[in-house]
Each structure stands twice: as C-alpha cells, then as structure tokens.
C-alpha cells in the first residue's frame, strides 16, 4: 500500500493519500486549507488518480479544499450526514470567537457529489477497503477510517478524535466530552495494539502506545490541543 501524509494550512491539519500502489487509483483523506497544490504535486509525482475524497469530520481545516479537488477530478466526497452542513457553512461549527479569527466568515461550498457515510459501513474505493467507525464527540459526525495493508498492517485514520498524547477538543459547537470518551472506549481502545494511528494533527502513533501513555485515556477529561479545531 502507498500512503503519503503532510500537514496543510494555518492549523497544520494532516492530509493523506492512499493507494494500493504508485500509479494506481487513490483516495484523499481530509484535504484542508492550501491542500490543492501539494496534493496535485503528489498525484503527479506518484502517478495517482483520485477516486474519492474521505472526510473524518466537517471542520474547515480538514475539508476546505474538498470541493475544488472533487470538481477538478470528477470524484465524490464522503462525509457523515451530521457534519455535511459544515461543507457549505463552516461557521456553524466554529462559534463566534473562532469565526472572528478568520474575519467573521469562512467561504466554502459543497462539492457537486456528496455521499453520506454510515456507522459500521464498509467502503470499497480505489481498490481499498475501509471500515467506518462513527466516533462522535469532537463533532457529531466525526468518523474514523480503518483499513489494512496487504502485509497485514492495520491503519486508523482518527481525524481529531485521537492524537498522539491527546484527544480532540469538545468546546466547539457539536462537541461533547461524554460522547468522545464513549467513542474512545467503545470504538478506539479495543483495537489491536499494533494499529498505526494517523491523526488529524501531529505525529503518528499506535493504539498500544496511546493506551499506555495517553493521559486522557486513563480517566482524564477532554483536552484542548493547541493545533486544530
């Protein structure tokens, strides 16, 4: 499997490209602000053809470039229905203080083809298979995507639900501390220790490492990370 990831935008949200191999169809996960140019460069360099855009949640730092990329390549975007309204109205999830940081308004539009994700759905796209875990708490429509490599490796695209050493903030509209803790307990912590966590911000980790060292997974409350929304 080919996996490439890089941070984009003012909030350095992680964007990922996945494909069975170089020169194949691929999926784009969370194309945020200023993501178009580096994505197009990576597509050319690795001879990849986009088949879909997958979104872990609707905050603009993860979805800002989705519409432009979908229209340019004629592909659909996948998002949970609870977060779909944010594609065209990102301000509804920011709150007044956060919106003010961006001049009072963030202009976005919904991609031409939007497909809605469902909990426990198995999504087959670009020759890859993803299991969709609905993990509300950071937002109502937050999801994680699980997939495996041909070699047996396990990958979790955790969005802003789980970070290395932290978890997603819950103080913005749609956030819920009890919900995110339930999502982590029921959907994330039961995963095998060797599952590689590719989060929405910051470095990669593993489930085993987070279970052993993440202070918010041992009785703490929700965190408020310095990066992301």
């Amino acid at each position: 499997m080919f996996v490439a990831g890089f941070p984009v935008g003012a909030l350095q949200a992680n964007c990922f490209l996945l494909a069975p191999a170089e020169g194949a169809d691929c999926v784009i996960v969370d194309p945020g602000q200023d993501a178009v140019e580096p994505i197009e460069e990576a597509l050319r360099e690795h001879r990849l053809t986009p088949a879909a855009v997958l979104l872990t949640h609707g905050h603009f730092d993860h979805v800002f470039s989705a519409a432009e990329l979908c229209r340019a390549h004629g592909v659909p975007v996948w998002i949970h229905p609870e977060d779909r309204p944010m594609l065209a109205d990102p301000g509804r999830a920011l709150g007044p203080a956060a919106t003010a940081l961006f001049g009072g308004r963030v202009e976005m539009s919904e991609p031409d083809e939007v497909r809605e994700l469902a909990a426990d759905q198995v999504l087959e796209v670009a020759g890859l298979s993803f299991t969709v875990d609905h993990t509300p708490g950071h937002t109502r429509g937050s999801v994680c995507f699980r997939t495996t490599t041909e070699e047996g490796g396990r990958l979790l695209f955790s969005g802003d639900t789980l970070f290395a050493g932290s978890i997603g903030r819950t103080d913005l509209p749609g956030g819920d501390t009890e919900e995110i803790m339930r999502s982590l307990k029921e959907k994330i912590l039961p995963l095998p220790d060797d599952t590689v966590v590719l989060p929405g911000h910051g470095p990669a980790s593993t489930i085993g490492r987070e279970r052993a060292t993440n202070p918010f997974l041992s009785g703490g409350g929700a965190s408020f990370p310095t990066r992301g929304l």
Side-chain angles (χ1 to χ4, degrees):
M1 178 183 289
F2 171 86
V3 181
F6 41 85
V8 297
L11 299 176
Q12 293 289 277
N14 288 332
C15 174
F16 297 97
L17 302 180
L18 283 83
E22 292 190 274
D25 287 349
C26 73
V27 298
I28 303 168
V29 179
D30 285 0
Q33 282 183 303
D34 303 323
V36 172
E37 185 174 338
I39 287 173
E40 295 290 358
E41 182 178 341
L43 294 174
R44 290 191 296 270
E45 179 181 353
H46 301 288
R47 297 171 289 109
L48 300 171
T49 302
V53 171
L54 308 184
L55 302 176
T56 61
H57 62 292
H59 283 161
F60 81 91
D61 57 325
H62 293 260
V63 310
F64 190 85
S65 298
E68 182 175 350
L69 287 164
C70 287
R71 289 172 185 142
H73 295 280
V75 300
V77 66
W78 290 85
I79 189 169
H80 192 276
E82 289 277 9
D83 278 14
R84 179 173 179 172
M86 299 182 210
L87 292 174
D89 184 13
R92 67 188 299 152
L94 298 181
T99 302
L101 294 175
F102 299 94
R105 185 167 179 83
V106 181
E107 297 285 350
M108 284 173 41
S109 62
E110 188 174 278
D112 295 335
E113 183 179 358
V114 181
R115 300 182 184 180
E116 295 184 349
L117 297 165
D120 304 317
Q121 176 180 359
V122 176
L123 182 62
E124 306 282 350
V125 60
L128 303 170
S129 180
F130 299 89
T131 299
V132 180
D133 292 319
H134 183 209
T135 54
H138 179 62
T139 66
R140 293 188 181 94
S142 287
V143 302
C144 296
F145 297 104
R146 287 184 286 125
T147 190
T148 58
T149 69
E150 288 185 358
E151 300 76 20
R154 302 177 178 91
L155 303 178
L156 175 74
F157 295 87
S158 63
D160 285 4
T161 297
L162 177 65
F163 304 124
S166 190
I167 63 174
R169 64 189 295 172
T170 59
D171 61 328
L172 293 173
D176 188 304
T177 300
E178 290 186 5
E179 284 274 25
I180 200 170
M181 297 309 295
R182 185 179 303 114
S183 294
L184 289 160
K185 179 181 179 181
E186 296 179 358
K187 300 293 182 69
I188 305 300
L189 287 178
L191 298 176
D193 282 353
D194 63 354
T195 302
V196 175
V197 178
L198 299 172
H201 299 268
S205 186
T206 65
I207 292 295
R209 184 181 306 151
E210 294 312 300
R211 187 185 289 111
T213 64
N214 190 320
F216 301 98
L217 301 183
S218 57
S223 68
F224 299 90
T226 56
R227 287 174 294 189
L229 292 178

